[in-house]
Structure formats: C-alpha cells, structure tokens
Amino acid sequence: MSAHLARAQLLLAQSRPGEAEREAMLALSADPQDTAALALLALSRCAQQKRPEALAAAESAVGLAPDNAYLHYVHALTLHHLDREDAAHSGINAALRLNPEDPDFFSLLAGIELARGNAPAALTAAEQALAIDSEHVEAANLRAMALVRLGRKAEATETVDFALQHAPNSALSHANQGWTYLHRNDPRRAQEFFREALRLDPTMEFARQGMLEALKARNPVYRAMLAYFLWMGRQGAKLQWGIIIGTYFFSRFLNSQLRGAEHASWALILLALVFYLFVYLTWTAHPMFNLLLRFDRFGRYVLSRDERIATYWFGPLAGAAVAALTWWVVTRAGLPLLATLLLAALSICGAATFQRQKRARLILGGCTVLLALVAAMVVFEVVIGPVVAGGGVMSVFVMGFLGIQILANVLSR
C-alpha cells in the first residue's frame, strides 16, 4: 500500500474527507488503475456530499475489478447515498454473492431495505449482520429502526440500549434512541438522547432533525400531529392510500351534512372545523411549527437555513389567511371567506414547495406563483361583480391547486 493510500485511509477514519480525497487523488496519479484508491476516493467524496463524482469513482473501480466484493459494496453505498435504492440493492446483492460473510454488507442491505420501505427484509438483513458480528453497532441500530417501523417499539429500545452498552460514544445510537422515544410519544426523554448525539457529532442531520421534532412536540397540537405522521410512516402503502381515500369520502359526507341541514348543530360545525384543521395541518404542520420555533430562544438555533427561509414564505400566507378568517368571523361576508380559502390553499402549495429541493422546488415555486395570480383574478372578479363570470377562473384555481399536489408527489420520487 502506498503512503498516500495509507494517509487517505487514516484521514477518512478521522472524519477528514477533504484531505482524504486529495491523498486518494495523489495515489491515483501514481497508478490510475488502483482500485483501492478509487474506492477511497468514492467514500471520501460521499462524505463531502459529492455524490455524482463519488459514483463515477465507484463505477470505475467495479469496472476494473468486477470480482471484488468490497468494490461492489462501495458502489452500492454511493448509490444508496444518491437515493437510487433499486440499483443499490442490486449492487449489494452482487457483493453478498461474492462474500456472504461480511457483516458490513448485510448492514448496508438493511439500510437499503429500510429506504425501500421493506421493514421485514431490513430486520432480516440486520439480524444476519448481527449473527456474524453480535457487536456490530450499525446493524443493531438498523435492527432497532426496522423494529420501530414494525411497531415493536419496546424491542427497539432494548436493541439500542444494547448498542449503547457496547459503544457509549456512538452518536448514531443516541440519535436512534431519541427517535425511538419520539415514536413512543415521549419527546422530553427523546431530547436527552438527541442532545448527547449532537454533542458527539454536531453535524449529524439525523440527530438535528430529531431534536427539531422533539422541540416542536412540546406543543400538544404538534405532538398529536407528530404521532400521526410517525404512525402513518410505519404503515404500508396500501393502508396509507386507504386512509387518504377514506379522508376524501369523509370530507364529502361532512360537506353533504353541512349543506343538507338548514341549521347545523354546533357539534357538527365543531367536527367540521376540527377535521378541516387536521387536514390543513397534515400539509402545513412542519413549516407552521418551525415558524413558532423561531420565537424560541433555543429552538431557533436548531432550524436549518433552508427551514428558516421556508418560514419567510409560509408565515405571510398563513398570517394573511388567519387575518381573513378573523375578518369573516366579524363580518360574515363572502369575500373574506373566499380570501381565507385561497390563502390557505396557497400556504399549502408554499409548504409543498419547500419540502422539495433544487429543480423540483423551482418548478413548484413557479407553479405556486402562477396559482397566486389566478387567485388574484378570482378575487378581482368577485369584487367587480357581474362584469366577468368568476366561476371559470375559480375552476382553474381548484384544478391548479390539485395539479400542484399531484406534481409535488411525482417530484418527490
């Protein structure tokens, strides 16, 4: 092994990927077909979020030595970081065919299966890794994650306790235990583990996101919404779609009851308000409570730059919707109610926009701006009265709103 390669390994182990990348490049300048250097180059680039460049290095390594199991593992790992889970699954299976006795390979397979939403397969892979190495900390953590997805939260807590006994300074284990307590609806206990994880590794996004959720969950409304989000995340795709379709038909039933009764009871009105508030929060709870967290002396520092920017866009729209709703409560006029609905819809589109990244965000942002122009036309037609029929423009707004939701789902894949 060359001196450059040895230094690259050491620097990568010390979490200094930029320097490791330079040493790997120096090793490759001496031997461009050094597969070990290419593997280290891929891993160091992955650690710096240079994922396309990492994939190029990993593919070159596999092309030079297709019978090397470790190179297939590195290739699968880079694909996993790129969220190309099906390709990563094929890559790690190629590594396992060549070497079925490496616990790291089974651990990566568990992570890939979790990303694909296959918790039973993830649990099996994690347990295979632990059968080879009973103290494999990453595999223990992935086993706990799979158990949480399967609703076996007590077993998950025991598994992470085991991991922490063997590696008390593992930031991943502390963060994982924090998420386990969030799933058990105990955000205060979760905060303790997230705080320790961030002390051990201040850059860990998994722990920062957990701390953010735990802080927001101090609010009882958000705690209920978080419990719902986490519960939904543990369900299969068929049940999730069943709940969505059921929600749609229940809203139709509720609307028919409200229209059919001359004087709707307060109980029915209250049920409708709670239901529609819940539906609204399923779209907007994250940016709404991030906005509230900006006024918390500690919570504001947990928010990322991207999350703070999202609140600048969501806040005015949601605030204007609340103002319009207040105006409607006082006056019972039609225009403020229409404005409330339009602004609430636009705030939902704004929330969806900032849940996406890069090109997807630009597309959704442009669509939301166009929808806002259509909303202005709807209000304009209502204000000027019978000069222009407003029904057609309102239909365009409704179709545009639904189209943005469908587009947001497509772009999230």
Side-chain angles (χ1 to χ4, degrees):
M1 180 185 293
S2 70
H4 289 301
L5 204 55
R7 279 197 292 272
Q9 284 184 328
L10 180 63
L11 289 165
L12 194 58
Q14 294 174 341
S15 299
R16 295 160 66 184
E19 296 169 71
E21 181 185 7
R22 285 192 291 274
E23 292 295 334
M25 290 294 290
L26 289 170
L28 284 167
S29 66
D31 181 2
Q33 296 192 332
D34 188 335
T35 55
L38 283 167
L40 280 169
L41 182 63
L43 293 173
S44 61
R45 285 174 171 174
C46 254
Q48 298 174 82
Q49 312 300 316
K50 298 178 179 178
R51 291 166 183 168
E53 297 92 334
L55 181 59
E59 287 175 342
S60 296
V62 170
L64 289 167
D67 294 330
N68 186 314
Y70 178 72
L71 297 180
H72 283 284
Y73 163 79
V74 172
H75 183 219
L77 183 63
T78 57
L79 288 165
H80 178 50
H81 281 291
L82 281 162
D83 299 323
R84 292 172 55 182
E85 305 302 348
D86 289 341
H89 190 264
S90 299
I92 196 60
N93 278 321
L96 283 165
R97 281 194 295 272
L98 293 164
N99 180 8
E101 300 298 327
D102 193 315
D104 289 343
F105 295 2
F106 281 108
S107 182
L108 177 56
L109 176 60
I112 292 167
E113 293 290 12
L114 274 176
R116 297 173 83 199
N118 192 345
L123 180 61
T124 300
E127 289 179 342
Q128 287 175 299
L130 289 167
I132 299 168
D133 179 2
S134 62
E135 297 183 5
H136 197 288
V137 174
E138 184 180 350
N141 277 287
L142 288 164
R143 180 176 187 270
M145 292 177 192
L147 287 168
V148 166
R149 297 270 186 95
L150 294 168
R152 295 157 60 180
K153 290 174 275 190
E155 289 180 69
T157 303
E158 292 173 5
T159 301
V160 184
D161 283 339
F162 171 81
L164 285 169
Q165 287 173 6
H166 288 84
N169 291 323
S170 167
L172 175 62
S173 297
H174 283 283
N176 201 10
Q177 191 71 299
W179 278 103
T180 302
Y181 275 105
L182 274 184
H183 278 271
R184 298 178 73 172
N185 201 24
D186 190 351
R188 291 192 181 279
R189 187 85 172 97
Q191 281 183 54
E192 298 173 15
F193 287 97
F194 290 132
R195 191 176 293 112
E196 180 62 13
L198 289 168
R199 184 189 69 79
L200 292 166
D201 183 359
T203 66
M204 180 176 276
E205 182 64 14
F206 184 52
R208 188 197 69 82
Q209 282 288 344
M211 178 62 85
L212 182 63
E213 296 301 313
L215 288 171
K216 290 189 290 187
R218 294 179 301 183
N219 184 298
V221 175
Y222 189 79
R223 184 183 297 188
M225 294 304 302
L226 179 62
Y228 168 75
F229 292 143
L230 294 175
W231 177 80
M232 277 289 280
R234 296 194 296 269
Q235 308 312 310
K238 290 182 179 178
L239 181 57
Q240 288 180 356
W241 274 109
I243 292 168
I244 292 168
I245 293 168
T247 301
Y248 168 75
F249 281 110
F250 182 74
S251 70
R252 293 283 301 270
F253 168 76
L254 204 56
N255 288 339
S256 68
Q257 293 297 307
L258 289 170
R259 285 195 302 267
E262 276 189 36
H263 302 288
S265 67
W266 280 106
L268 185 60
I269 293 172
L270 182 61
L271 175 63
L273 287 173
V274 171
F275 174 75
Y276 286 115
L277 178 61
F278 167 75
V279 171
Y280 179 70
L281 286 175
T282 60
W283 272 309
T284 63
H286 290 298
M288 180 183 294
F289 286 90
N290 284 348
L291 178 63
L292 295 178
L293 207 58
R294 290 192 61 190
F295 299 97
D296 184 272
R297 64 188 181 90
F298 173 70
R300 67 174 70 124
Y301 296 109
V302 182
L303 291 167
S304 68
R305 179 177 177 274
D306 201 50
E307 288 159 345
R308 288 194 298 272
I309 291 172
T311 64
Y312 289 129
W313 289 88
F314 175 80
L317 289 169
V322 171
L325 180 62
T326 305
W327 179 19
W328 175 76
V329 169
V330 172
T331 65
R332 295 304 175 107
L335 180 60
L337 180 59
L338 175 65
T340 301
L341 296 174
L342 294 174
L343 289 164
L346 288 172
S347 70
I348 290 170
C349 294
T353 297
F354 280 92
Q355 287 171 2
R356 305 295 181 269
Q357 299 293 329
K358 298 179 181 177
R359 178 172 169 269
R361 179 176 294 181
L362 290 174
I363 293 170
L364 288 173
C367 291
T368 301
V369 170
L370 290 174
L371 193 66
L373 294 174
V374 175
M377 291 174 61
V378 172
V379 173
F380 178 74
E381 290 197 344
V382 169
V383 170
I384 65 175
V387 176
V388 180
V393 181
M394 188 64 192
S395 297
V396 171
F397 180 86
V398 172
M399 295 302 294
F401 172 76
L402 294 174
I404 287 176
Q405 306 315 307
I406 294 169
L407 181 61
N409 285 329
V410 170
L411 291 174
S412 68
R413 295 173 184 172

